[in-house]
Amino acid sequence: MLNIKLGESKIPCQANESVLDALLKANIQIPYGCQQGVCQSCLMRSLDTTPPVSAQAGLKDTLQKQNYFLACLCHPEQDMTIALPEQQGALLNASVIKKQLLTPEILRLVLQYDAPLTFFAGQFVNLQRFDGLMRSYSIANSPQQDKVLEFHIRRLPNGQFSNWVHDELEHGAQLTLTEAQGSCHYLPGRMEQPLLLIGTGSGLAPLYGIINDALAQGHTGAIHLYHGSRNHDGLYLVDEIRGLTKQFDNFNYTACLSGACIAEQAIEANYAQGRAHDLALNTIQNLKGWRIYLCGHPEMVNQSKRAAYIKGASLSDIYTDAFLVGNHNG
Amino acid sequence: MSETPETKSATLFEQLGGAGAVDAAVDIFYRKVLADYRINRFFDNVDMEKQAAKQKAFLTMAFGGPHNYTGEDMRKGHENLVRMGLDDSHFDAVMEHLGATLQELNVPQALIAQVAAIAESTRNDVLGR
Ligand SMILES: Cc1cc2nc3c(=O)[nH]c(=O)nc-3n(C[C@H](O)[C@H](O)[C@H](O)COP(=O)(O)OP(=O)(O)OC[C@H]3O[C@@H](n4cnc5c(N)ncnc54)[C@H](O)[C@@H]3O)c2cc1C
Ligand code: HEM
Ligand code: FES
């Protein structure tokens, strides 16, 4: 058994535990989210030893050099003295300017910020509540808009952050957010490349941003969006997106319902039947040369990534955002 | 250099085209493996980027390129798979995809045979016998 030193406390860390596990077991409050090395909200710094390389996966070179690491990925190889990062780099203040229900479960949250922030539509930021609770959300608007960020936040049963946003966060209230991260965004350059975007639930958020960005930048290749939900009331922004298909010849949209019993309204509304990724991947036979975006349910993202690759897409052309949900009480 | 490509001193790895050939082959090979229902269960639940990098290591080795794997490493590396039931039939399937990949890349038959011989020589280690 090894020991972790944080300030005055000495915390035991068992062989199979990560630093995050050990700190949580000792009831030490630190920010964390996905517990899988993606959101970087559990960033910490080692004050003595060099952290294991695997605990620095995905961190910027500059942070790696300063011995920063991700607590959820860090299985210490020796005793460590660690510290919480000093006021985590650039934390930005933002205030709530709009809350609107898009579906019974998904809320559109629009924040206004004042300091400079560079981002691409489709990247994510970590939002932080006054008490430090932090979660990742994808940016649904493109940077062409002025100093606002839009998010689509799905209410999870007993979810701490999502329920707070839905029920308690008020107009004008302040939040802090970290800089934008992630590589799931539009890249100008290969304007004629066909794009396939598949999202489930609030996985539409980054895709909606990416599509608006691509269209605003004059993408000429075909763009195919498949958005899936179990029930028809889980599909949202349908009219706006159908509007885009009328405006842009190269843009196609398929709204998909996977639920067993499909209401008459749904059939009338012209939704496709089946899971979004099944429909997309059965319709398009060859994905060689395509660029692919997969966002939402982690299962869907993994299955589709593999299927798209088998159908000819190259791994470097597949961008994913799995909405990993941490296990916050287990 | 004035030597012709047929020169006897060129290694198998060089004749195949070196690291560039491995890059070209890995894309085709890994796709075939994942699409094959007989063996793709062994490739479940692993990070695809990491997995592709491991297939690259596999191909470099089979192409006679530089590597540091010992027979013991091959044993250890496939130990879990043997526990999952890895046997000769799966090994044969991988050999099949290796040959088909090289054919698709128009590699001459004589070189394909040499690659197959190297891969074949690891059979007992890979299957933990
Ligand atoms: C890169 C990235 C991007 C993301 N983008 C988005 C996005 O755009 N939109 C979006 O809606 N989400 C997104 N997410 C997910 C988001 O970050 C949160 O994980 C999600 O909102 C849940 O947070 P929460 O605090 O509400 O739930 P948590 O409190 O973290 O709970 C998570 C789940 O655990 C369950 N749970 C809680 N307590 C227990 C218990 N005692 N026993 C068993 N289960 C329990 C809850 O019911 C809930 O389902 C993203 C995630 C990542 C990693
Ligand atoms: C033909 C002879 C084979 C050779 C020379 C070979 C070689 C290799 C090499 C070099 C690695 C990378 C090891 C590492 O760096 O960790 C590897 C990993 C792997 N091989 Fe093979 N292999 C062979 C056959 C097979 C077969 C028949 C299967 C299954 C059908 C298989 C499945 C795998 C898997 C799943 C991994 C990754 C394991 C992990 O993620 O740790 N291999 N192999
Ligand atoms: S990166 Fe550690 S909790 Fe998300």
Side-chain angles (χ1 to χ4, degrees):
Chain A
M1 194 190 64
L2 300 169
N3 285 304
I4 302 170
K5 247 174 48 203
L6 173 65
E8 297 299 298
S9 358
K10 208 167 169 197
I11 301 132
C13 185
Q14 310 291 341
N16 59 349
E17 283 178 338
S18 67
V19 170
L20 180 62
D21 296 331
L23 295 178
L24 293 177
K25 223 164 79 179
N27 273 321
I28 292 171
Q29 295 290 324
I30 55 157
Y32 70 102
C34 69
Q35 303 182 332
Q36 297 176 66
V38 175
C39 70
Q40 303 194 354
S41 54
C42 63
L43 190 71
M44 302 199 131
R45 187 174 183 184
S46 166
L47 300 179
D48 47 8
T49 64
T50 313
V53 188
S54 54
Q56 296 187 311
L59 293 184
K60 285 187 205 143
D61 299 359
T62 45
L63 291 179
Q64 293 193 4
K65 287 214 185 70
Q66 298 170 59
N67 285 343
Y68 280 92
F69 66 94
L70 298 175
C72 69
L73 291 184
C74 186
H75 292 270
E77 289 155 354
Q78 49 197 312
D79 287 357
M80 290 177 93
T81 305
I82 61 172
L84 295 169
E86 308 92 43
Q87 202 41 301
Q88 264 211 351
L91 274 184
L92 217 64
N93 288 313
S95 57
V96 178
I97 57 170
K98 188 170 177 187
K99 276 179 72 173
Q100 173 200 357
L101 274 182
L102 295 165
T103 80
E105 310 275 287
I106 299 174
L107 178 91
R108 177 188 243 159
L109 175 69
V110 184
L111 303 180
Q112 176 129 45
Y113 58 94
D114 37 27
L117 171 71
T118 29
F119 70 89
F120 297 104
Q123 284 191 298
F124 67 91
V125 298
N126 292 325
L127 299 183
Q128 191 174 32
R129 192 166 75 178
F130 51 86
D131 63 352
L133 188 71
M134 205 189 252
R135 296 288 183 268
S136 312
Y137 295 98
S138 305
I139 304 171
N141 62 306
S142 54
Q144 283 92 346
Q145 275 166 284
D146 212 26
K147 301 246 163 178
V148 296
L149 290 172
E150 170 177 332
F151 306 96
H152 302 167
I153 299 182
R154 180 193 186 90
R155 185 201 286 276
L156 286 188
N158 300 319
Q160 295 174 76
F161 200 92
S162 58
N163 281 291
W164 171 72
V165 171
H166 275 252
D167 300 336
E168 287 170 54
L169 183 63
E170 285 175 357
H171 238 260
Q174 296 280 318
L175 275 176
T176 44
L177 45 100
T178 60
E179 56 190 19
Q181 305 171 46
S183 58
C184 186
H185 58 78
Y186 182 69
L187 295 165
R190 292 148 78 193
M191 293 297 206
E192 68 307 322
Q193 194 177 26
L195 309 183
L196 170 62
L197 307 99
I198 308 174
T200 48
S202 56
L204 180 63
L207 302 182
Y208 190 63
I210 290 166
I211 287 167
N212 278 301
D213 200 17
L215 293 173
Q217 298 203 39
H219 192 84
T220 55
I223 303 176
H224 293 267
L225 168 67
Y226 287 81
H227 181 219
S229 168
R230 193 163 302 134
N231 305 313
H232 72 98
D233 64 4
L235 292 173
Y236 64 94
L237 296 177
V238 174
D239 293 339
E240 286 83 345
I241 299 173
R242 285 191 173 153
L244 288 177
T245 64
K246 300 216 173 71
Q247 222 179 318
F248 297 93
D249 286 343
N250 60 331
F251 177 58
N252 305 279
Y253 168 51
T254 311
C256 315
L257 291 178
S258 63
C261 113
I262 294 186
E264 269 165 38
Q265 315 150 256
I267 297 169
E268 255 166 57
N270 203 9
Y271 298 144
Q273 298 186 29
R275 298 190 300 174
H277 60 297
D278 291 339
L279 288 166
L281 294 160
N282 290 336
T283 308
I284 305 170
Q285 286 315 315
N286 190 340
L287 289 170
K288 196 174 162 86
W290 286 60
R291 202 186 315 165
I292 294 161
Y293 295 92
L294 307 169
C295 302
H297 201 285
E299 245 329 272
M300 182 285 288
V301 168
N302 288 338
Q303 283 181 19
S304 305
K305 181 172 180 182
R306 176 184 273 245
Y309 176 74
I310 291 173
K311 289 205 163 218
S314 99
L315 276 185
S316 58
D317 274 334
I318 306 178
Y319 299 87
T320 60
D321 244 338
F323 286 2
L324 300 165
V325 173
N327 172 13
H328 287 277
N329 277 36
Chain B
M1 277 191 282
S2 61
E3 287 174 316
T4 58
E6 298 91 58
T7 177
K8 282 273 177 292
S9 63
T11 64
L12 172 64
F13 191 58
E14 285 161 355
Q15 291 181 65
L16 285 165
V22 173
D23 286 341
V26 75
D27 203 48
I28 302 175
F29 175 74
Y30 182 36
R31 196 167 277 126
K32 285 185 190 300
V33 166
L34 282 186
D36 184 345
Y37 68 93
R38 293 173 298 175
I39 53 175
N40 57 13
R41 70 186 175 94
F42 295 108
F43 298 83
D44 265 354
N45 284 328
V46 270
D47 180 322
M48 286 184 70
E49 276 78 13
K50 272 195 202 141
Q51 190 62 243
K54 290 194 174 176
Q55 300 315 306
K56 233 162 136 169
F58 162 69
L59 291 171
T60 305
M61 189 175 174
F63 286 13
H67 72 87
N68 296 316
Y69 293 108
T70 61
E72 195 49 40
D73 293 334
M74 284 298 96
R75 255 167 218 282
K76 281 226 181 69
H78 297 88
E79 197 162 69
N80 276 327
L81 309 178
V82 171
R83 234 170 274 136
M84 284 168 66
L86 188 73
D87 66 22
D88 282 303
S89 72
H90 307 119
F91 194 95
D92 294 342
V94 165
M95 293 297 292
E96 205 178 284
H97 294 310
L98 181 60
T101 299
L102 295 173
Q103 254 159 20
E104 235 174 280
L105 292 168
N106 295 318
V107 172
Q109 210 54 50
L111 296 185
I112 297 183
Q114 291 184 52
V115 171
I118 295 178
E120 189 56 55
S121 73
T122 66
R123 185 183 288 258
N124 284 339
D125 287 326
V126 167
L127 296 181
R129 299 191 288 232

